[in-house]
Protein backbone atom coordinates (compact mmCIF):
# COMPACT_ATOMS: atom_id res chain seq x y z
CA UNK A 1 0.00 0.00 0.00
CA UNK A 2 1.43 3.35 -0.98
CA UNK A 3 1.87 5.77 1.87
CA UNK A 4 1.34 9.48 1.63
CA UNK A 5 3.50 10.86 4.38
CA UNK A 6 6.82 9.64 3.09
CA UNK A 7 6.11 10.53 -0.54
CA UNK A 8 3.91 13.57 -0.31
CA UNK A 9 5.10 16.56 1.71
CA UNK A 10 2.78 18.45 4.02
CA UNK A 11 1.60 21.91 2.95
CA UNK A 12 -0.04 24.66 4.98
CA UNK A 13 -2.91 26.47 3.27
CA UNK A 14 -3.70 30.18 3.55
CA UNK A 15 -6.82 31.80 2.11
CA UNK A 16 -7.55 35.46 1.47
CA UNK A 17 -11.31 35.61 2.02
CA UNK A 18 -11.73 38.80 0.01
CA UNK A 19 -9.82 41.85 -1.16
CA UNK A 20 -8.56 43.97 1.69
CA UNK A 21 -8.07 41.08 4.11
CA UNK A 22 -4.96 39.11 5.02
CA UNK A 23 -4.42 35.55 3.96
CA UNK A 24 -5.41 33.40 6.94
CA UNK A 25 -4.19 29.91 7.77
CA UNK A 26 -7.06 27.47 7.24
CA UNK A 27 -5.47 24.05 7.46
CA UNK A 28 -3.10 21.70 5.76
CA UNK A 29 -2.88 18.91 3.23
CA UNK A 30 -0.45 16.50 1.61
CA UNK A 31 0.40 16.89 -2.06
CA UNK A 32 3.01 15.56 -4.44
CA UNK A 33 4.15 19.03 -5.55
CA UNK A 34 3.32 22.73 -5.29
CA UNK A 35 0.86 22.75 -8.15
CA UNK A 36 -1.06 19.74 -6.88
CA UNK A 37 -1.09 21.34 -3.44
CA UNK A 38 -2.70 24.46 -4.92
CA UNK A 39 -5.33 22.43 -6.80
CA UNK A 40 -6.12 20.31 -3.76
CA UNK A 41 -6.31 23.42 -1.56
CA UNK A 42 -8.83 24.94 -3.97
CA UNK A 43 -10.95 21.79 -3.90
CA UNK A 44 -10.67 21.35 -0.16
CA UNK A 45 -10.81 24.84 1.29
CA UNK A 46 -12.70 27.01 -1.21
CA UNK A 47 -15.73 24.93 -2.22
CA UNK A 48 -18.08 27.73 -1.16
CA UNK A 49 -16.42 30.94 -2.33
CA UNK A 50 -14.33 31.15 0.83
CA UNK A 51 -11.49 32.92 -0.92
CA UNK A 52 -10.16 35.02 -3.77
CA UNK A 53 -6.52 34.01 -3.32
CA UNK A 54 -4.69 30.96 -2.03
CA UNK A 55 -1.18 30.37 -0.73
CA UNK A 56 0.29 26.96 -0.12
CA UNK A 57 3.63 26.60 1.57
CA UNK A 58 5.53 23.50 2.57
CA UNK A 59 5.26 23.04 6.32
CA UNK A 60 8.95 22.28 6.63
CA UNK A 61 9.71 25.74 5.18
CA UNK A 62 8.07 27.46 8.15
CA UNK A 63 10.15 28.62 11.08
CA UNK A 64 8.21 28.83 14.31
CA UNK A 65 8.67 30.04 17.85
CA UNK A 66 8.50 27.55 20.70
CA UNK A 67 5.02 26.28 21.56
CA UNK A 68 4.86 27.55 25.12
CA UNK A 69 3.06 30.86 25.46
CA UNK A 70 5.05 31.57 28.66
CA UNK A 71 8.16 31.51 26.49
CA UNK A 72 10.74 34.20 27.47
CA UNK A 73 11.01 34.82 23.73
CA UNK A 74 7.97 37.07 24.12
CA UNK A 75 9.17 38.69 27.35
CA UNK A 76 10.42 41.93 25.73
CA UNK A 77 6.84 43.03 25.08
CA UNK A 78 5.52 42.08 28.52
CA UNK A 79 6.83 45.04 30.55
CA UNK A 80 6.31 47.88 28.10
CA UNK A 81 2.92 49.14 29.15
CA UNK A 82 3.84 52.58 27.80
CA UNK A 83 3.31 51.16 24.33
CA UNK A 84 -0.44 51.15 24.95
CA UNK A 85 -2.51 54.32 24.62
CA UNK A 86 -4.27 53.65 27.93
CA UNK A 87 -0.95 54.15 29.76
CA UNK A 88 -1.35 57.92 29.41
CA UNK A 89 -3.70 60.01 31.59
CA UNK A 90 -5.37 62.69 29.55
CA UNK A 91 -8.06 64.93 31.12
CA UNK A 92 -11.63 64.01 30.14
CA UNK A 93 -12.31 67.44 28.61
CA UNK A 94 -9.57 67.24 26.00
CA UNK A 95 -11.41 66.36 22.77
CA UNK A 96 -10.50 63.91 20.01
CA UNK A 97 -7.60 62.13 21.68
CA UNK B 1 5.64 7.35 41.67
CA UNK B 2 7.81 6.61 38.68
CA UNK B 3 10.49 8.95 37.40
CA UNK B 4 8.46 9.86 34.32
CA UNK B 5 5.46 10.72 36.47
CA UNK B 6 7.60 13.08 38.51
CA UNK B 7 8.82 14.77 35.38
CA UNK B 8 5.27 15.06 34.06
CA UNK B 9 3.75 16.61 37.14
CA UNK B 10 4.23 20.35 36.43
CA UNK B 11 3.39 19.73 32.77
CA UNK B 12 0.24 17.88 33.74
CA UNK B 13 -0.67 20.75 36.06
CA UNK B 14 -0.28 23.21 33.18
CA UNK B 15 -2.36 20.98 30.89
CA UNK B 16 -5.14 20.71 33.48
CA UNK B 17 -5.10 24.48 34.02
CA UNK B 18 -5.38 25.23 30.31
CA UNK B 19 -8.25 22.76 29.87
CA UNK B 20 -10.07 24.00 32.99
CA UNK B 21 -9.76 27.60 31.75
CA UNK B 22 -11.58 26.57 28.54
CA UNK B 23 -8.48 27.29 26.53
CA UNK B 24 -7.34 25.01 23.75
CA UNK B 25 -4.55 22.47 23.73
CA UNK B 26 -2.41 22.86 20.61
CA UNK B 27 -0.31 20.21 18.85
CA UNK B 28 3.07 20.97 20.35
CA UNK B 29 1.77 21.33 23.94
CA UNK B 30 2.50 18.58 26.40
CA UNK B 31 -0.52 16.33 26.86
CA UNK B 32 -1.14 13.09 28.77
CA UNK B 33 -0.54 9.99 26.66
CA UNK B 34 -4.08 8.80 27.28
CA UNK B 35 -5.50 12.15 26.09
CA UNK B 36 -3.50 11.84 22.88
CA UNK B 37 -4.55 8.22 22.40
CA UNK B 38 -8.22 9.03 23.00
CA UNK B 39 -8.11 11.85 20.47
CA UNK B 40 -6.34 9.77 17.84
CA UNK B 41 -8.92 7.01 18.24
CA UNK B 42 -11.87 9.40 18.13
CA UNK B 43 -10.63 11.63 15.30
CA UNK B 44 -9.54 8.65 13.19
CA UNK B 45 -12.88 6.96 13.70
CA UNK B 46 -14.58 10.20 12.78
CA UNK B 47 -12.44 10.64 9.64
CA UNK B 48 -13.08 7.04 8.58
CA UNK B 49 -16.82 7.63 9.03
CA UNK B 50 -16.73 10.58 6.65
CA UNK B 51 -14.86 8.57 4.03
CA UNK B 52 -16.93 5.39 4.36
CA UNK B 53 -20.02 7.62 4.59
CA UNK B 54 -19.64 8.49 0.92
CA UNK B 55 -20.53 4.94 -0.08
CA UNK B 56 -24.19 4.50 0.93
CA UNK B 57 -25.23 7.63 -0.94
CA UNK B 58 -22.64 7.13 -3.65
CA UNK B 59 -24.76 4.13 -4.67
CA UNK B 60 -27.35 6.59 -5.95
CA UNK B 61 -25.12 9.03 -7.80
CA UNK B 62 -25.69 7.42 -11.19
CA UNK B 63 -29.37 6.83 -10.50
CA UNK B 64 -30.45 10.20 -9.10
CA UNK B 65 -33.81 11.09 -10.67
CA UNK B 66 -32.77 14.50 -11.99
CA UNK B 67 -29.66 16.51 -12.82
CA UNK B 68 -30.48 18.79 -9.86
CA UNK B 69 -30.53 15.89 -7.39
CA UNK B 70 -27.43 14.42 -8.93
CA UNK B 71 -25.47 17.69 -8.64
CA UNK B 72 -26.57 18.05 -5.02
CA UNK B 73 -25.61 14.48 -4.16
CA UNK B 74 -22.24 14.87 -5.85
CA UNK B 75 -21.55 18.05 -3.90
CA UNK B 76 -22.51 16.29 -0.68
CA UNK B 77 -20.23 13.33 -1.37
CA UNK B 78 -17.41 15.75 -2.16
CA UNK B 79 -18.04 17.50 1.17
CA UNK B 80 -17.74 14.16 2.99
CA UNK B 81 -14.38 13.55 1.34
CA UNK B 82 -13.33 17.04 2.43
CA UNK B 83 -14.49 16.40 5.99
CA UNK B 84 -12.45 13.22 6.04
CA UNK B 85 -9.39 15.18 4.96
CA UNK B 86 -9.87 17.93 7.57
CA UNK B 87 -10.07 15.21 10.20
CA UNK B 88 -7.10 13.17 8.97
CA UNK B 89 -5.10 16.40 9.03
CA UNK B 90 -6.22 17.02 12.62
CA UNK B 91 -5.22 13.46 13.56
CA UNK B 92 -1.81 13.94 11.98
CA UNK B 93 -1.08 16.83 14.33
CA UNK B 94 -1.07 14.18 17.07
CA UNK B 95 1.81 12.34 15.44
CA UNK B 96 0.03 9.67 13.42
CA UNK B 97 0.17 9.29 9.67
CA UNK B 98 -2.82 9.23 7.35
CA UNK B 99 -1.51 6.25 5.40
CA UNK B 100 -1.25 4.33 8.65
CA UNK B 101 -4.82 5.26 9.60
CA UNK B 102 -6.11 4.17 6.18
CA UNK B 103 -4.27 0.88 6.62
CA UNK B 104 -5.93 0.41 10.01
CA UNK B 105 -9.34 1.10 8.50
CA UNK B 106 -9.04 -1.35 5.63
CA UNK B 107 -7.58 -4.03 7.89
CA UNK B 108 -10.46 -3.59 10.34
CA UNK B 109 -8.32 -2.41 13.25
CA UNK B 110 -10.08 0.95 13.46
CA UNK B 111 -13.83 1.49 13.36
CA UNK B 112 -16.19 3.93 11.70
CA UNK B 113 -19.75 4.88 12.58
CA UNK B 114 -22.07 1.87 12.73
CA UNK B 115 -24.69 3.72 10.67
CA UNK B 116 -22.84 3.28 7.38
CA UNK B 117 -23.18 -0.48 7.56
CA UNK B 118 -26.84 -0.28 6.55
CA UNK B 119 -27.84 -0.44 2.87
CA UNK B 120 -29.52 2.36 0.89
CA UNK B 121 -32.38 0.54 -0.78
CA UNK B 122 -34.33 3.39 -2.39
CA UNK B 123 -33.77 7.02 -3.32
CA UNK B 124 -35.82 8.00 -0.27
CA UNK B 125 -32.92 6.64 1.77
CA UNK B 126 -30.80 9.49 0.40
CA UNK B 127 -33.28 11.96 1.86
CA UNK B 128 -33.56 10.14 5.16
CA UNK B 129 -29.78 9.94 5.51
CA UNK B 130 -29.59 13.71 5.06
CA UNK B 131 -32.40 14.36 7.50
CA UNK B 132 -31.76 11.76 10.24
CA UNK B 133 -28.16 10.62 9.88
CA UNK B 134 -26.71 14.05 9.17
CA UNK B 135 -29.12 15.50 11.74
CA UNK B 136 -27.75 13.12 14.37
CA UNK B 137 -24.22 13.91 13.24
CA UNK B 138 -24.89 17.64 13.71
CA UNK B 139 -26.16 16.96 17.25
CA UNK B 140 -22.96 15.08 17.97
CA UNK B 141 -20.66 17.53 16.23
CA UNK B 142 -21.82 20.97 17.32
CA UNK B 143 -20.49 20.45 20.88
CA UNK B 144 -17.21 19.17 19.40
CA UNK B 145 -16.59 22.67 18.03
CA UNK B 146 -15.71 23.47 21.68
CA UNK B 147 -13.48 20.43 22.12
CA UNK B 148 -10.33 21.14 24.17
CA UNK B 149 -8.04 20.06 21.32
CA UNK B 150 -7.61 23.02 18.95
CA UNK B 151 -7.13 21.29 15.57
CA UNK B 152 -10.12 18.98 16.15
CA UNK B 153 -12.32 21.87 17.27
CA UNK B 154 -11.34 23.94 14.22
CA UNK B 155 -12.02 21.04 11.86
CA UNK B 156 -15.43 20.63 13.47
CA UNK B 157 -16.29 24.29 12.95
CA UNK B 158 -15.70 23.90 9.23
CA UNK B 159 -17.60 20.63 9.11
CA UNK B 160 -20.62 21.90 11.00
CA UNK B 161 -20.99 24.84 8.64
CA UNK B 162 -21.25 22.41 5.74
CA UNK B 163 -23.44 19.78 7.42
CA UNK B 164 -26.40 22.09 7.53
CA UNK B 165 -26.68 21.90 3.75
CA UNK B 166 -26.63 18.12 3.99
CA UNK B 167 -29.50 17.99 6.42
CA UNK B 168 -31.63 20.54 4.61
CA UNK B 169 -31.22 18.94 1.18
CA UNK B 170 -32.35 15.64 2.70
CA UNK B 171 -35.41 17.13 4.32
CA UNK B 172 -36.33 19.00 1.15
CA UNK B 173 -35.95 15.80 -0.87
CA UNK B 174 -38.37 14.05 1.51
CA UNK B 175 -40.86 16.95 1.41
CA UNK B 176 -40.84 16.65 -2.38
CA UNK B 177 -41.53 12.92 -2.22
CA UNK B 178 -44.30 13.47 0.36
CA UNK B 179 -46.04 15.82 -2.07
CA UNK B 180 -45.90 13.06 -4.71
CA UNK B 181 -47.80 9.80 -5.12
CA UNK B 182 -48.93 7.30 -2.48
CA UNK B 183 -46.13 5.02 -3.59
CA UNK B 184 -43.59 7.80 -3.02
CA UNK B 185 -45.01 8.49 0.44
CA UNK B 186 -44.79 4.78 1.28
CA UNK B 187 -41.19 4.83 0.11
CA UNK B 188 -40.39 7.65 2.53
CA UNK B 189 -42.14 5.91 5.44
CA UNK B 190 -40.30 2.69 4.68
CA UNK B 191 -36.95 4.50 4.69
CA UNK B 192 -37.81 6.24 7.98
CA UNK B 193 -38.77 2.86 9.50
CA UNK B 194 -35.42 1.38 8.55
CA UNK B 195 -33.18 4.35 9.52
CA UNK B 196 -34.79 5.61 12.72
CA UNK B 197 -33.30 3.12 15.19
CA UNK B 198 -29.85 2.98 13.61
CA UNK B 199 -29.83 6.81 13.77
CA UNK B 200 -30.49 6.70 17.51
CA UNK B 201 -27.65 4.19 17.88
CA UNK B 202 -25.25 6.70 16.30
CA UNK B 203 -24.93 8.36 19.70
CA UNK B 204 -23.28 5.24 21.06
CA UNK B 205 -24.16 2.91 23.91
CA UNK B 206 -26.27 4.12 26.85
CA UNK B 207 -24.45 6.10 29.53
CA UNK B 208 -24.25 3.21 32.00
CA UNK B 209 -22.45 1.19 29.33
CA UNK B 210 -20.10 3.93 28.11
CA UNK B 211 -16.96 3.62 30.25
CA UNK B 212 -14.90 6.32 28.48
CA UNK B 213 -17.45 9.13 28.70
CA UNK B 214 -16.47 10.43 32.16
CA UNK B 215 -12.80 10.82 31.27
CA UNK B 216 -13.58 12.40 27.88
CA UNK B 217 -15.88 14.89 29.58
CA UNK B 218 -13.25 15.70 32.22
CA UNK B 219 -10.81 16.43 29.39
CA UNK B 220 -13.50 18.50 27.66
CA UNK B 221 -13.23 16.46 24.50
CA UNK B 222 -16.85 15.49 24.99
CA UNK B 223 -19.39 17.97 26.36
CA UNK B 224 -22.51 15.85 26.76
CA UNK B 225 -23.19 12.19 27.45
CA UNK B 226 -24.50 9.84 24.76
CA UNK B 227 -27.97 9.77 26.32
CA UNK B 228 -28.14 13.56 26.60
CA UNK B 229 -27.33 13.94 22.91
CA UNK B 230 -29.76 11.19 21.94
CA UNK B 231 -32.55 12.95 23.84
CA UNK B 232 -31.69 16.25 22.20
CA UNK B 233 -31.87 14.59 18.78
CA UNK B 234 -35.27 13.02 19.49
CA UNK B 235 -36.65 16.34 20.74
CA UNK B 236 -35.42 18.11 17.61
CA UNK B 237 -36.61 15.45 15.22
CA UNK B 238 -40.14 14.62 16.36
CA UNK B 239 -41.64 17.96 15.26
CA UNK B 240 -39.81 17.63 11.93
CA UNK B 241 -41.36 14.18 11.44
CA UNK B 242 -44.79 15.60 12.24
CA UNK B 243 -44.33 18.38 9.73
CA UNK B 244 -43.22 15.90 7.12
CA UNK B 245 -46.19 13.63 7.83
CA UNK B 246 -44.26 10.46 8.64
CA UNK B 247 -44.56 8.19 11.66
CA UNK B 248 -41.46 7.42 13.70
CA UNK B 249 -41.47 3.66 14.33
CA UNK B 250 -41.53 3.81 18.12
CA UNK B 251 -44.81 3.10 19.98
CA UNK B 252 -43.21 4.41 23.21
CA UNK B 253 -42.71 7.87 21.73
CA UNK B 254 -44.68 10.18 23.99
CA UNK B 255 -44.47 13.83 25.05
CA UNK B 256 -43.48 14.08 28.71
CA UNK B 257 -44.89 17.30 30.10
CA UNK B 258 -42.84 17.09 33.32
CA UNK B 259 -39.50 16.68 31.57
CA UNK B 260 -40.41 18.95 28.66
CA UNK B 261 -38.99 16.22 26.42
CA UNK B 262 -40.09 13.24 24.38
CA UNK B 263 -40.00 9.82 26.04
CA UNK B 264 -38.84 7.16 23.64
CA UNK B 265 -38.14 3.44 23.51
CA UNK B 266 -34.90 1.61 24.04
CA UNK B 267 -32.84 0.92 20.91
CA UNK B 268 -31.80 -2.69 20.41
CA UNK B 269 -28.31 -2.48 21.87
CA UNK B 270 -27.47 -6.04 20.87
CA UNK B 271 -27.93 -4.96 17.24
CA UNK B 272 -25.51 -2.06 17.77
CA UNK B 273 -22.96 -4.45 19.29
CA UNK B 274 -23.33 -6.83 16.36
CA UNK B 275 -22.85 -4.06 13.79
CA UNK B 276 -19.81 -2.69 15.63
CA UNK B 277 -18.35 -6.18 15.76
CA UNK B 278 -18.60 -6.34 11.98
CA UNK B 279 -21.84 -8.32 11.65
CA UNK B 280 -23.90 -5.50 10.15
CA UNK B 281 -25.54 -5.88 6.73
CA UNK B 282 -22.78 -4.07 4.81
CA UNK B 283 -19.59 -4.06 6.93
CA UNK B 284 -17.55 -6.32 4.67
CA UNK B 285 -18.74 -4.59 1.51
CA UNK B 286 -17.88 -1.09 2.80
CA UNK B 287 -14.37 -1.97 3.88
CA UNK B 288 -13.71 -3.96 0.72
CA UNK B 289 -14.87 -1.03 -1.42
CA UNK B 290 -12.57 1.33 0.49
CA UNK B 291 -9.64 -1.03 0.13
CA UNK B 292 -10.26 -1.47 -3.60
CA UNK B 293 -10.55 2.30 -4.15
CA UNK B 294 -7.29 2.86 -2.31
CA UNK B 295 -5.45 0.18 -4.23
CA UNK B 296 -6.98 1.08 -7.59
CA UNK B 297 -5.84 4.65 -7.03
CA UNK B 298 -2.27 3.70 -6.22
CA UNK B 299 -1.05 4.32 -9.78
CA UNK B 300 -2.34 7.91 -9.65
CA UNK B 301 -0.42 8.59 -6.46
CA UNK B 302 2.67 6.93 -7.86
CA UNK B 303 2.41 8.91 -11.09
CA UNK B 304 2.12 12.18 -9.16
CA UNK B 305 5.23 11.35 -7.17
CA UNK B 306 7.15 10.34 -10.30
CA UNK B 307 6.11 13.55 -12.03
CA UNK B 308 7.19 15.68 -9.05
CA UNK B 309 10.54 13.87 -8.96
CA UNK B 310 11.02 14.43 -12.69
CA UNK B 311 10.26 18.13 -12.37
CA UNK B 312 12.67 18.41 -9.47
CA UNK B 313 15.33 16.67 -11.51
CA UNK B 314 14.75 19.16 -14.31
CA UNK B 315 15.40 21.90 -11.81
CA UNK B 316 11.98 23.33 -12.35
CA UNK B 317 11.06 24.06 -8.76
CA UNK B 318 8.33 26.57 -9.48
CA UNK B 319 5.90 23.91 -10.61
CA UNK B 320 2.79 25.86 -9.65
CA UNK B 321 1.78 29.48 -10.00
CA UNK B 322 4.09 30.98 -7.38
CA UNK B 323 2.80 33.29 -4.66
CA UNK B 324 6.33 34.47 -4.00
CA UNK B 325 6.00 37.96 -5.50
CA UNK B 326 2.86 38.80 -3.63
CA UNK B 327 4.35 37.32 -0.51
CA UNK B 328 7.42 39.54 -0.69
CA UNK B 329 5.29 42.65 -0.90
CA UNK B 330 2.93 41.65 1.88
CA UNK B 331 4.87 40.07 4.66
CA UNK B 332 7.86 40.98 6.77
CA UNK B 333 10.61 38.61 5.78
CA UNK B 334 12.88 38.72 8.82
CA UNK B 335 11.94 36.61 11.79
CA UNK B 336 13.99 37.17 14.91
CA UNK B 337 15.79 34.34 16.60
CA UNK B 338 14.18 31.34 14.98
CA UNK B 339 13.76 28.71 17.64
CA UNK B 340 12.40 25.61 16.11
CA UNK B 341 11.57 24.12 12.76
CA UNK B 342 8.02 23.20 11.92
CA UNK B 343 4.77 24.64 13.15
CA UNK B 344 3.07 21.51 14.36
CA UNK B 345 0.07 23.38 12.97
Amino acid sequence: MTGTKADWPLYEVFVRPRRGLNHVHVGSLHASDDRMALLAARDLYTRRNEGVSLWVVRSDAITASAPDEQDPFFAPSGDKVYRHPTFYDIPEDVPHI
Amino acid sequence: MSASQMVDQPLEGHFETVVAAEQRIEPRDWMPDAYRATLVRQIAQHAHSEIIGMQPEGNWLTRAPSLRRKAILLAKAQDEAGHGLYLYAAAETLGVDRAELTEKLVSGRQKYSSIFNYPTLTFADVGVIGWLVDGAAICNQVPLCRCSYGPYARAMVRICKEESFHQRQGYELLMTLMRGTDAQRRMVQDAVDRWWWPSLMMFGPPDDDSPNTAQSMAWRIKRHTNDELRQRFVDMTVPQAQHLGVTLPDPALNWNEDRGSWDFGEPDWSELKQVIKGQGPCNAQRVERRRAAHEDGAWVREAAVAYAAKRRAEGDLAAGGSAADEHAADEPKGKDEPKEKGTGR
Side-chain angles (χ1 to χ4, degrees):
Chain A
M1 193 164 292
T2 320
T4 50
K5 196 177 190 181
D7 300 341
W8 289 14
L10 188 66
Y11 286 83
E12 302 299 326
V13 181
F14 300 78
V15 175
R16 184 201 290 285
R18 57 176 189 275
R19 291 178 169 279
L21 297 179
N22 285 319
H23 286 77
V24 176
H25 182 240
V26 291
S28 52
L29 50 82
H30 289 281
S32 56
D33 60 26
D34 295 355
R35 177 158 174 73
M36 290 302 288
L38 204 53
L39 292 174
R42 178 200 63 188
D43 292 346
L44 190 55
Y45 291 106
T46 61
R47 285 198 300 280
R48 289 178 174 78
N49 304 316
E50 285 94 338
V52 294
S53 167
L54 266 175
W55 289 345
V56 292
V57 58
R58 277 181 63 146
S59 307
D60 59 12
I62 292 177
T63 306
S65 64
D68 189 353
E69 64 204 66
Q70 309 297 323
D71 194 312
F73 184 64
F74 295 105
S77 77
D79 59 353
K80 295 183 181 63
V81 286
Y82 47 84
R83 282 186 162 159
H84 297 277
T86 49
F87 178 72
Y88 303 93
D89 284 331
I90 306 288
E92 289 281 340
D93 52 355
V94 180
H96 306 307
I97 182 164
Chain B
M1 183 179 285
S2 76
S4 74
Q5 275 175 316
M6 281 186 336
V7 170
D8 287 352
Q9 227 173 26
L11 292 169
E12 181 136 27
H14 182 66
F15 170 85
E16 301 286 353
T17 310
V18 170
V19 170
E22 286 292 333
Q23 293 195 332
R24 299 288 177 256
I25 300 298
E26 294 295 343
R28 295 191 301 162
D29 291 340
W30 183 91
M31 61 188 86
D33 290 342
Y35 176 83
R36 185 185 299 273
T38 298
L39 280 169
V40 167
R41 182 175 49 81
Q42 182 171 336
I43 299 173
Q45 184 169 326
H46 198 159
H48 297 331
S49 301
E50 300 283 359
I51 297 298
I52 296 286
M54 289 190 279
Q55 291 186 37
E57 291 167 294
N59 285 343
W60 287 93
L61 276 174
T62 56
R63 289 174 286 163
S66 68
L67 186 56
R68 178 176 183 270
R69 293 291 168 196
K70 187 178 194 143
I72 291 169
L73 198 50
L74 206 52
K76 183 173 188 288
Q78 194 191 10
D79 275 353
E80 311 292 5
H83 296 175
L85 280 174
Y86 303 152
L87 288 162
Y88 284 127
E92 285 195 333
T93 66
L94 293 159
V96 291
D97 165 350
R98 191 174 89 200
E100 173 193 323
L101 298 178
T102 300
E103 172 57 37
K104 282 185 174 161
L105 169 65
V106 299
S107 63
R109 282 175 294 156
Q110 279 179 343
K111 308 280 184 205
Y112 52 90
S113 177
S114 55
I115 194 77
F116 301 117
N117 290 314
Y118 292 87
T120 40
L121 303 181
T122 71
F123 195 69
D125 288 32
V126 171
V128 170
I129 287 176
W131 173 39
L132 295 181
V133 175
D134 291 314
I138 290 170
C139 262
N140 256 330
Q141 290 172 354
V142 167
L144 287 173
C145 297
R146 293 183 294 128
C147 165
S148 60
Y149 188 58
Y152 191 28
R154 292 192 286 274
M156 292 319 304
V157 169
R158 300 188 66 86
I159 290 172
C160 285
K161 276 186 193 162
E162 300 182 350
E163 286 288 352
S164 173
F165 140 58
H166 298 179
Q167 194 187 21
R168 290 172 66 105
Q169 66 81 33
Y171 195 79
E172 188 230 42
L173 191 164
L174 296 176
M175 286 198 312
T176 308
L177 282 172
M178 291 303 283
R179 284 194 300 267
T181 64
D182 284 344
Q184 286 174 315
R185 278 185 285 277
R186 277 197 303 276
M187 196 163 86
V188 173
Q189 183 61 54
D190 167 66
V192 170
D193 291 346
R194 284 182 287 107
W195 288 94
W196 173 249
W197 291 108
S199 299
L200 290 188
M201 293 176 200
M202 283 176 69
F203 296 94
D207 291 350
D208 53 23
D209 190 25
S210 178
N212 301 323
T213 292
Q215 180 61 75
S216 278
M217 287 179 72
W219 278 330
R220 312 209 181 183
I221 295 173
K222 230 172 142 159
R223 297 288 176 158
H224 309 282
T225 70
N226 296 351
D227 286 338
E228 283 167 9
L229 291 167
R230 197 168 3 250
Q231 179 72 61
R232 184 179 294 183
F233 173 69
V234 172
D235 289 345
M236 275 172 38
T237 308
V238 172
Q240 295 167 352
Q242 289 169 341
H243 195 279
L244 200 56
V246 295
T247 308
L248 297 173
D250 179 1
L253 202 61
N254 194 35
W255 176 249
N256 185 323
E257 197 66 51
D258 297 338
R259 292 197 306 123
S261 268
W262 289 87
D263 291 335
F264 58 98
E266 186 91 359
D268 178 358
W269 299 122
S270 64
E271 177 181 322
L272 176 63
K273 283 197 173 124
Q274 284 300 106
V275 176
I276 290 175
K277 271 192 348 206
Q279 314 293 314
C282 301
N283 293 58
Q285 178 191 337
R286 300 288 187 238
V287 171
E288 172 52 25
R289 180 79 196 89
R290 178 70 192 95
R291 192 193 57 72
H294 190 68
E295 288 176 6
D296 293 349
W299 71 272
V300 180
R301 296 191 295 277
E302 283 158 16
V305 170
Y307 180 73
K310 189 178 150 202
R311 294 290 290 260
R312 261 199 314 278
E314 289 167 2
D316 184 3
L317 291 175
S322 173
D325 294 344
E326 195 183 356
H327 194 277
D330 243 351
E331 295 273 289
K333 271 281 183 206
K335 289 202 174 103
D336 289 341
E337 296 178 51
K339 288 214 157 177
E340 220 178 296
K341 271 285 185 188
T343 58
R345 289 171 281 170

